[in-house]
């Protein structure tokens, strides 16, 4: 009979100190998983159209330049940078993240729909409206600051590394899966199918329509029936410190400003170098390998999908690696060193310049569309600079797909732990803003340097930036100490 008795479910280890019930524990983790999806969607909103921006812009306005493409790509992170501290402050001020998240998801959905409807507008207004739509998508993505702040408040210290790893996985998957979805919809072709009223579902607009659908779903997730805010970090700190209030756990302890700003700058550098690949990937492969627009979207999408698999495997390895070697060592040697190597691998290997575009390099696609392939003669360096190879492009991407997730995860983990249980909305706005600034400056800087100076200067400069950042972290890694580690060392000395 005993074996037939229903066993009582063991309480989660996190609940055994009495800070929360089983139901509260389940509700807390449901809210955290909704945050994971939101961060994934905001990253997807940036990346899903990135590989298609250049050919889509050329279709909408054949006279648009690559420099203008850089502005279109940069509009998203620029808006996110401007609004991240404000959204973080809004979340802190209201004591709830539901309102700012619902508001920003409405903006996200409407702006994504606008991006897909550009062909309805007069030709002279299309590229400027594209810029505006990407700005609004970026403004909505400022809610990531509030999401990260909530995650820090809704997780215990021992849960933080794994939780931040999942957030980083969601963010990186959003960046990587987006181009994969863009590649999947290339089967629709440039003509696609009519939706009525001048709207079309084609290889350029389908990606943004996916954003619209996901935006509606995400909005529903934050309704009270699904999302219940549960904050535990401050209560945990109160228990450990014997404090009388949540505010007392952090009010008398100032943040380690040097460590915090070091991590903000490191976050900027990593994001800057990753956006280099996303922004430049499509035009670079079209120039260097003489791929057509459709080929570039397809092959870049496949490569990004492979990168997503690599990133997943990398995230699984982060926690055990940190237990064995420590978070700071893994950050420097697993994150920054691999990113340095990834940039250096992109220095040209070829013995001959890339094929120059001309009338003799014109190809016609299956649907009758004609285009010139090869490196544009207007980019004078094309005629003298050695070409890249497909092999080095793939190798550099694979190394980056391993290094970036490690670096970005551990920067955010250490950042959150160093700040402690204090409200982190504004602080998360600052680190989010630094990543946005990098993604804002990156496209403009990269497209300008690449267009005017070529691959050697582009990847030479970015490699040098990574090397300097890595050396700085090596010198000052001893300052990146979590307060709990300091207290533990002091207890051991006593």
């Amino acid at each position: 009979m005993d074996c037939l008795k229903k066993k009582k479910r063991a309480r989660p280890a996190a609940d055994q100190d009495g800070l929360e019930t089983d139901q509260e524990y389940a509700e807390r983790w449901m809210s955290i998983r909704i945050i994971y999806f939101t961060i994934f969607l905001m990253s997807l909103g940036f990346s899903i159209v990135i590989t298609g921006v250049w050919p889509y812009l050329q279709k909408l306005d054949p006279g648009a330049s690559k420099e203008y493409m850089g502005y279109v790509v940069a509009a998203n992170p620029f808006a996110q940078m401007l609004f991240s501290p404000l959204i973080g402050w809004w979340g802190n001020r209201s004591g709830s993240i539901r309102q700012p998240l619902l508001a920003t998801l409405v903006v996200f959905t409407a702006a994504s729909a606008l991006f897909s409807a550009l062909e309805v507008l007069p030709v002279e207004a299309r590229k400027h409206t594209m810029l505006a739509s990407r700005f609004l998508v970026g403004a909505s993505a400022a809610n990531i600051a509030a999401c990260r702040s909530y995650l820090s408040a809704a997780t215990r210290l021992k849960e933080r590394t794994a939780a931040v790893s999942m957030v980083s996985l969601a963010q990186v998957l959003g960046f990587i899966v987006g181009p994969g979805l863009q590649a999947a919809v290339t089967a629709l072709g440039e003509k696609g199918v009519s939706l009525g009223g001048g709207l079309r579902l084609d290889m350029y607009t389908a990606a943004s329509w996916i954003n619209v659908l996901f935006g509606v779903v995400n909005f529903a997730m934050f309704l009270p029936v699904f999302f219940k805010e549960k904050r535990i970090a401050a209560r945990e700190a109160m228990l450990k410190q014997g404090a009388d209030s949540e505010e007392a756990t952090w009010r008398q302890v100032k943040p380690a400003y040097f460590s915090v700003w070091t991590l903000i700058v490191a976050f900027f550098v990593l994001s800057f170098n990753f956006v280099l690949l996303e922004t430049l990937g499509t035009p670079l492969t079209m120039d260097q390998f003489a791929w057509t627009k459709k080929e570039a979207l397809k092959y870049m999408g496949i490569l990004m999908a492979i990168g997503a698999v690599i990133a997943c495997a990398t995230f699984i390895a982060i926690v055990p690696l940190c237990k064995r070697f420590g978070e700071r060592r893994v950050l420097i040697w697993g994150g920054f060193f691999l990113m340095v190597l990834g940039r250096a691998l992109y220095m040209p290997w070829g013995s001959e310049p890339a094929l120059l575009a001309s009338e003799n390099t014109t190809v016609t696609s299956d649907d009758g569309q004609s285009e010139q392939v090869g490196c544009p003669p207007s980019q004078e360096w094309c005629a003298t600079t050695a070409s890249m190879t497909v092999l080095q492009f793939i190798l550099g991407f694979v190394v980056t797909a391993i290094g970036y997730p490690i670096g970005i995860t551990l920067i955010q983990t250490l950042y959150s732990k160093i700040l402690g249980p204090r409200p982190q909305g504004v602080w998360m706005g600052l680190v989010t803003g630094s990543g946005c600034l990098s993604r804002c400056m990156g496209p403009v800087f990269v497209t300008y340097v690449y267009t005017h100076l070529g691959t050697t200067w582009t990847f030479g400069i970015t490699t040098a930036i990574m090397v300097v950042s890595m050396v700085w972290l090596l010198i000052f890694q001893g300052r990146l100490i979590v307060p709990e580690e300091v207290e533990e060392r002091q207890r051991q000395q006593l």
Side-chain angles (χ1 to χ4, degrees), residues 170-210:
Q171 187 172 18
V172 172
L173 285 181
F175 285 141
I176 294 176
V177 170
L181 290 176
Q182 173 70 82
V185 299
T186 55
L188 293 170
E190 291 199 42
K191 293 183 178 180
V193 294
S194 174
L195 299 178
L199 300 177
R200 302 196 67 82
L201 181 69
D202 58 36
M203 62 188 283
Y204 303 126
T205 63
S208 203
W209 285 126
I210 292 173

Side-chain angles (χ1 to χ4, degrees), residues 5-54:
K5 290 181 180 180
K6 185 177 181 181
K7 293 183 178 180
K8 184 178 180 180
R9 185 174 68 86
R11 289 169 61 82
D15 297 347
Q16 292 176 357
D17 54 15
L19 284 180
E20 60 183 355
T21 65
D22 289 356
Q23 181 178 351
E24 289 172 334
Y25 178 85
E27 290 174 345
R28 179 166 66 88
W29 276 98
M30 171 63 76
S31 70
I32 290 171
R33 293 183 183 103
I34 292 175
I35 292 297
Y36 292 161
F37 180 80
T38 304
I39 290 179
F40 167 79
L41 179 58
M42 293 303 103
S43 299
L44 187 74
F46 171 75
S47 70
I48 196 170
V49 301
I50 285 298
T51 54
V53 162
W54 176 234

Side-chain angles (χ1 to χ4, degrees), residues 90-165:
W90 185 2
N92 280 356
R93 183 75 174 176
S94 65
S96 170
I97 66 168
R98 192 190 310 277
Q99 291 181 353
L101 285 172
L102 289 176
T104 50
L105 284 169
V106 169
V107 175
F108 174 85
T109 304
S112 297
L114 178 62
F115 186 88
S116 291
L118 292 173
E119 288 187 87
V120 177
L121 304 175
V123 174
E124 60 273 12
R126 291 175 179 176
K127 71 176 185 179
H128 302 305
T129 308
M130 174 186 278
L131 183 70
S133 69
R134 296 304 295 162
F135 181 89
L136 290 174
V137 170
S140 64
N143 63 22
I144 288 179
C147 288
R148 285 176 174 154
S149 175
Y150 176 74
L151 185 79
S152 297
T155 53
R156 295 168 179 259
L157 189 67
K158 64 183 179 182
E159 297 172 335
R160 196 75 47 78
T161 299
V164 174
S165 294

Side-chain angles (χ1 to χ4, degrees), residues 237-356:
M238 286 174 59
L239 181 65
K240 289 181 178 179
Q241 299 176 18
D244 296 328
S245 66
E246 294 184 1
E247 186 174 343
T249 63
W250 54 268
R251 174 65 70 180
Q252 296 180 357
V253 181
K254 293 183 178 181
Y257 291 112
F258 181 87
S259 301
V260 167
W261 282 104
T262 291
L263 292 172
I264 289 175
V265 173
F267 192 84
F268 169 87
V269 171
L270 274 186
S271 299
F272 181 89
N273 277 269
F274 185 76
V275 79
L276 163 75
L277 187 59
E278 285 209 324
T279 304
L280 202 54
T282 301
L284 176 68
T285 54
M286 290 172 65
D287 291 351
Q288 295 291 302
F289 311 138
W291 287 350
T292 64
K293 297 173 186 175
K294 191 170 184 177
E295 287 174 336
L297 290 179
K298 177 182 177 181
Y299 296 141
M300 280 298 298
I302 292 172
L303 191 60
M304 290 289 189
I306 294 172
V309 175
I310 296 172
C312 289
T314 301
F315 280 111
I316 293 172
I318 288 176
V319 173
L321 282 173
C322 290
K323 288 181 179 179
R324 182 177 178 86
F325 301 105
E327 291 172 340
R328 286 167 294 170
R329 287 184 180 178
V330 177
L331 167 63
I332 294 170
W333 295 105
F336 270 78
F337 177 74
L338 289 179
M339 286 294 288
V340 169
L341 183 59
R343 295 288 72 76
L345 281 170
Y346 276 4
M347 298 294 288
W349 287 6
S351 57
E352 298 291 336
L355 177 68
L356 289 177

Side-chain angles (χ1 to χ4, degrees), residues 346-348 381 385-386 449-450 453-462:
Y346 276 4
M347 298 294 288
W381 57 268
T385 303
V449 173
Y450 173 78
L453 300 177
T455 50
T456 301
W457 278 95
T458 298
F459 298 111
I461 292 173
T462 50

